[in-house]
Amino acid sequence: VARATAPSSKKSIDPPAGRRRGLSRDMLIAAAVKLIDQKGAEALSMRALAQATGVTTMALYNHFSSKRDLLSAVAQRLIEETHFDGGHADWRTQLRHCFGELRGLCLRHPGLPGLLQQEGTTTGAAFGPMEVTLRALEPVGMTALERVRVFYLLIGFTLSQAAYQSRPAVGLEPSEQIRTHRIAGRGFAAVERLELPQDWDFKESFEFGLTLVLDGIEQNQRRSASRDP
Amino acid sequence: VARATAPSSKKSIDPPAGRRRGLSRDMLIAAAVKLIDQKGAEALSMRALAQATGVTTMALYNHFSSKRDLLSAVAQRLIEETHFDGGHADWRTQLRHCFGELRGLCLRHPGLPGLLQQEGTTTGAAFGPMEVTLRALEPVGMTALERVRVFYLLIGFTLSQAAYQSRPAVGLEPSEQIRTHRIAGRGFAAVERLELPQDWDFKESFEFGLTLVLDGIEQNQRRSASRDP
DNA sequence: ACCTGAACACCGTTCAAGT
DNA sequence: ACCTGAACACCGTTCAAGT
């Protein structure tokens, strides 16, 4: 099965050749992003993208092997455009920056969390934030495996928070959701007792969760430092 | 828009009436769960469910107002069947039990994380684990809002880990995913340097992340205790 | 109150044919 | 190498009609 990535130049002669090599793929990805941002991820069909770019549906299959391939390229593109490395010396600040950037990207492109969660795209597309995380945690005294695990924890958390905030169809923020559903609730005393603010502060929720995780990492660091001094 | 929840008995006379009130809905949910477990969530269509239950597609719409309504009922059902309260006095043990149960449920029903992530279902369906979390954290010295935030952190983490483990279409575990994709990677030195184990230990990854979060909560507790003694 | 049949407006993808 | 047109095998949902 031919993975339609960069069109592999078989002839080594005449590489630039004057032709707009790959330009079409770039254009299509850009058009797909635009469509997703404007009308939501579920509005992106092969037919809709074809129409938006003035071409037949089947023409798209010369540039992407499947819709899944297209979506994964879209996710990859969005993440590649973002600078996750804030250059901060302190690992806490660096991680806050990295996943704050990811969160911002998700809010600017509300379809992105769903894309990354659904497709197995996450790993392949998310090397940017992964690299930053692994490097930031080097002085912390974790094994490489543990640092990868921290990465998966942070990206899972960030994506789920962002998805929750920008789910267009539902439109109910947590406070409202809980209030709406708990009426019928039976035996959920603590849930029913909850007094929630009028508006849900998504940013503060995110920062709070991030702080807990970073504190957990610091705790881990202290433990391993006291084990081997 | 009529939400097709429990068929609201308009006549207060003759409530039991001998008829199998709601049995059909229960049967359909059970059949949907079976279909999802056997063939994956994407194989569940209204037509397929109708065929599996020996009825016309349109008959389903007498019991569910839409496919979304059906899926949300499925998620709710699965979560209702689970006992998240382990009855542990120690809040750490209690939370470990609660989200360990949720993780187990997701592994037994691989379609569940996707269901909960996609639909805005999470809140409505997940009052069980929410209740346990809120109660477990009562002695920890957090505000109610903070405890809700911890809940969203933990459920987001748990679902994303479980989803990653049981994504059927992809089939590549993290070690393999990273190895596969990083070849083409440019400038991801730390990622390329990674030496990963042959098999990914999902359970240990989950436990590690959970520990970090619980440590973070404890840290938060210590801080608030030192603020007001 | 519940079920059916036909129809509408969509999907992703294959395949043979064009240039 | 790239694009087209027709077709296949699906979707969720509406609507009028049956009992």
Side-chain angles (χ1 to χ4, degrees), chain B residues 142-203:
Chain B
M142 280 180 170
T143 69
L145 189 57
E146 286 171 337
R147 284 181 277 148
V148 176
R149 284 174 178 157
V150 170
F151 166 72
Y152 281 118
L153 164 57
L154 286 173
I155 197 166
F157 165 65
T158 304
L159 292 181
S160 77
Q161 295 270 319
Y164 211 81
Q165 176 164 3
S166 56
R167 195 145 21 206
V170 186
L172 292 179
E173 39 140 340
S175 292
E176 210 169 339
Q177 279 248 13
I178 294 172
R179 248 178 261 133
T180 306
H181 285 109
R182 72 175 161 189
I183 301 171
R186 288 180 357 192
F188 298 130
V191 174
E192 281 165 30
R193 223 181 300 126
L194 271 181
E195 287 175 27
L196 293 163
Q198 192 67 22
D199 298 314
W200 188 265
D201 190 331
F202 286 101
K203 175 136 177 71

Side-chain angles (χ1 to χ4, degrees), chain A residues 83-90 93-95 97-98 132:
Chain A
H83 294 90
F84 296 101
D85 189 344
H88 303 285
D90 175 48
T93 317
Q94 180 77 333
L95 289 181
H97 172 88
C98 175
V132 173

Side-chain angles (χ1 to χ4, degrees), chain A residues 31-92:
Chain A
V33 169
K34 198 171 161 188
L35 236 164
I36 291 176
D37 287 352
Q38 286 176 349
K39 311 200 176 178
E42 68 288 344
L44 176 68
S45 64
M46 299 303 266
R47 280 169 168 89
L49 179 60
Q51 199 183 353
T53 50
V55 92
T56 310
T57 305
M58 288 321 300
L60 303 178
Y61 285 86
N62 289 307
H63 304 273
F64 302 95
S65 64
S66 65
K67 189 183 181 184
R68 204 169 162 281
D69 183 32
L70 165 67
L71 292 178
S72 131
V74 166
Q76 197 132 6
R77 162 71 57 90
L78 288 178
I79 287 193
E80 270 168 8
E81 284 173 0
T82 309
H83 294 90
F84 296 101
D85 189 344
H88 303 285
D90 175 48
W91 61 267
R92 291 187 68 122

Side-chain angles (χ1 to χ4, degrees), chain A residues 117 123 164 167 215 223, chain B residues 117 123 164 167 215 223:
Chain A
Q117 286 173 343
T123 305
Y164 211 83
R167 195 146 18 208
D215 284 351
R223 253 203 300 271
Chain B
Q117 286 173 343
T123 304
Y164 211 81
R167 195 145 21 206
D215 283 351
R223 253 203 300 272

Side-chain angles (χ1 to χ4, degrees), chain B residues 61-94:
Chain B
Y61 285 86
N62 288 306
H63 304 273
F64 302 95
S65 64
S66 64
K67 189 184 181 183
R68 204 170 163 281
D69 183 32
L70 165 66
L71 292 178
S72 131
V74 166
Q76 197 132 5
R77 161 71 56 90
L78 288 178
I79 286 192
E80 270 168 8
E81 283 173 359
T82 309
H83 294 90
F84 296 100
D85 189 345
H88 303 285
D90 175 47
W91 60 269
R92 292 187 68 123
T93 317
Q94 179 78 333

Side-chain angles (χ1 to χ4, degrees), chain A residues 19-199:
Chain A
R19 285 288 292 281
R20 287 154 219 179
R21 268 259 162 272
L23 188 144
S24 194
R25 196 171 211 258
D26 281 1
M27 261 180 40
L28 290 173
I29 293 176
V33 169
K34 198 171 161 188
L35 236 164
I36 291 176
D37 287 352
Q38 286 176 349
K39 311 200 176 178
E42 68 288 344
L44 176 68
S45 64
M46 299 303 266
R47 280 169 168 89
L49 179 60
Q51 199 183 353
T53 50
V55 92
T56 310
T57 305
M58 288 321 300
L60 303 178
Y61 285 86
N62 289 307
H63 304 273
F64 302 95
S65 64
S66 65
K67 189 183 181 184
R68 204 169 162 281
D69 183 32
L70 165 67
L71 292 178
S72 131
V74 166
Q76 197 132 6
R77 162 71 57 90
L78 288 178
I79 287 193
E80 270 168 8
E81 284 173 0
T82 309
H83 294 90
F84 296 101
D85 189 344
H88 303 285
D90 175 48
W91 61 267
R92 291 187 68 122
T93 317
Q94 180 77 333
L95 289 181
R96 285 207 117 90
H97 172 88
C98 175
F99 289 93
E101 284 294 310
L102 180 60
R103 175 171 178 267
L105 181 67
C106 288
L107 297 185
R108 263 171 290 138
H109 303 282
L112 186 57
L115 240 59
L116 289 169
Q117 286 173 343
Q118 283 173 38
E119 316 294 315
T121 317
T122 311
T123 305
F127 277 166
M130 189 187 239
E131 175 78 14
V132 173
T133 305
L134 293 179
R135 287 235 274 258
L137 291 175
E138 258 163 25
V140 163
M142 280 180 170
T143 68
L145 189 57
E146 285 172 335
R147 284 181 276 146
V148 176
R149 283 173 178 158
V150 170
F151 166 71
Y152 281 118
L153 163 57
L154 285 173
I155 198 168
F157 165 65
T158 304
L159 292 181
S160 77
Q161 294 270 318
Y164 211 83
Q165 177 164 3
S166 56
R167 195 146 18 208
V170 185
L172 292 179
E173 40 141 340
S175 292
E176 211 169 337
Q177 278 249 13
I178 294 172
R179 249 177 262 135
T180 307
H181 286 108
R182 72 175 162 190
I183 300 172
R186 288 181 355 193
F188 298 129
V191 174
E192 282 165 31
R193 223 182 300 127
L194 272 181
E195 286 175 29
L196 293 162
Q198 193 67 22
D199 299 314

